[in-house]
Amino acid sequence: MGAQIIDGKAFAAKVRGQVAEHVAKLKESHGITPGLAVVLVGEDPASQVYVRSKGKMTVEVGMNSYEHKLDADTPEDVLLALIDQLNRDPAVHGILVQLPLPGHLNEDLVINSIDPAKDVDGFHISNVGLLGTGQKSMVPCTPLGCLMMLRDHHGSLSGLDAVVVGRSNIVGKPMAQLLLGDSCTVTIAHSRTKNLADVVRRADIVVAAVGRPEMVPGDWIKPGATVIDVGINRIDAPEKGTNEDGSVKTRLVGDVHYESAAAVAGAITPVPGGVGPMTIACLLANTLTAAARANDLPEPEGLTA
Ligand code: NDP
């Protein structure tokens, strides 16, 4: 029997719809329009695409979008001054500094200069600590999106065995904290894990966040397990032919070998169309949450950890 495909694109559209409804209510009953400021330093093409699509979706859900584009050689003190200004601006509820930053800028210093209450990426050290101690925090968007899909599929996650492959600060570690918060029994695997296949094989929930194309094959998956594939890897796809410049066409794959895993899993997220679209939806959800908290209003149900 094939796995149920968890349609992240449709789920993300649903989440954005819920955010839009809350935003409309906030405007109508309290005169508040949530605002998200995105800061982009330099001209990295991928970052430009992300920032553009974040801005577009922010406006689509009825929020205000403020884009700040700075030159690649912007001095650190200028960037910090902008963040300070955004921290103090009551119209701005969420601040996102697009990563990676150019090499001369200290990423930790920059991220930790954002007001934690406006840190919609959830990377500020205070939010990391709050999440780690089970307190109310801003939660990183990608793991939050994974959690929402898992809750939607399973209802309660309590008592399930979860294996997170990858221990990065932006995905693996916060994902593990969130699963622990929902009472899973959590294992975090990484590049030094022994017998990774056996570790993954005992999981009811597998979250793969490694960055290695198709490294988790189907025979590592316990029959019926839920597989969340965070990986986004571009690989050559000679079967699609060549581009005008003669280069081989490419395609996106996850960290899980989709076909073999889908044959045994109970449910699986595809790549593309799985976790990816949930990330921006959760950024919008976090901005809404930040706006509600800033005004001492109840948090939107189902859109937070
Ligand atoms: P990092 O490179 O920061 O972390 C990768 C992790 O994988 C590390 O902890 C590393 O272990 C572990 N790892 C590497 N090789 C192996 C191996 N052979 N076996 C087991 N573990 C291994 O990556 P990110 O967490 O930032 O991203 C992971 C993937 O998710 C990438 O493909 C990225 O593009 C994607 N991503 C997708 C997002 C989305 O919106 N869908 C958002 C963010 C990321 P160690 O610590 O020991 O080195």
Side-chain angles (χ1 to χ4, degrees), residues 31-204:
I32 299 161
T33 303
L36 173 64
V38 177
V39 180
L40 174 63
V41 187
E43 285 170 5
D44 177 65
S47 294
Q48 285 181 327
V49 172
Y50 290 139
V51 167
R52 214 174 302 130
S53 100
K54 283 168 186 170
K56 184 169 161 272
M57 291 196 185
T58 303
V59 171
E60 274 172 16
V61 296
M63 296 182 182
N64 289 327
S65 167
Y66 309 101
E67 278 181 31
H68 296 269
K69 292 187 178 156
L70 305 181
D71 292 337
D73 59 358
T74 299
E76 198 163 78
D77 59 341
V78 172
L79 175 58
L80 294 177
L82 171 61
I83 292 173
D84 181 50
Q85 180 201 316
L86 297 171
N87 282 343
R88 285 184 283 109
D89 185 343
V92 172
H93 302 96
I95 302 170
L96 180 148
V97 177
Q98 184 65 44
L99 301 177
L101 289 171
H104 67 286
L105 298 170
N106 179 338
E107 242 169 53
D108 287 338
L109 178 73
V110 170
I111 296 303
N112 290 325
S113 72
I114 298 172
D115 177 349
K118 297 189 178 188
D119 167 40
V120 282
D121 250 346
F123 296 159
H124 190 290
I125 194 70
S126 297
N127 281 315
V128 175
L130 289 167
L131 177 62
T133 49
Q135 299 180 69
K136 193 183 274 190
S137 65
M138 281 311 219
V139 175
C141 303
T142 300
L144 178 58
C146 296
L147 182 75
M148 283 185 189
M149 290 193 286
L150 284 166
R151 282 179 177 169
D152 184 67
H153 181 72
H154 285 273
S156 169
L157 305 181
S158 180
L160 295 177
D161 266 317
V163 172
V164 180
V165 191
R167 58 174 163 178
S168 72
N169 290 335
I170 63 166
V171 189
K173 282 182 199 151
M175 185 74 247
Q177 297 286 4
L178 289 172
L179 291 166
L180 199 55
D182 271 28
S183 298
C184 290
T185 303
V186 182
T187 303
I188 307 178
H190 45 77
S191 67
R192 308 293 172 89
T193 298
K194 290 183 186 149
N195 304 323
L196 183 58
D198 291 338
V199 171
V200 173
R201 235 173 243 134
R202 64 170 187 251
D204 303 307

Side-chain angles (χ1 to χ4, degrees), residues 197 200-201 203 206 216-227 256 260-262 264-266:
V200 173
R201 235 173 243 134
V206 180
V216 178
D219 67 1
W220 290 14
I221 306 296
K222 176 160 105 177
T226 302
V227 178
V256 175
S260 60
V264 275

Side-chain angles (χ1 to χ4, degrees), residues 229-252:
D229 191 352
V230 181
I232 302 176
N233 308 290
R234 191 166 283 285
I235 61 166
D236 285 348
E239 72 280 5
K240 287 170 74 177
T242 51
N243 295 307
E244 276 176 19
D245 64 2
S247 60
V248 174
K249 290 205 171 177
T250 58
R251 66 189 173 98
L252 290 181

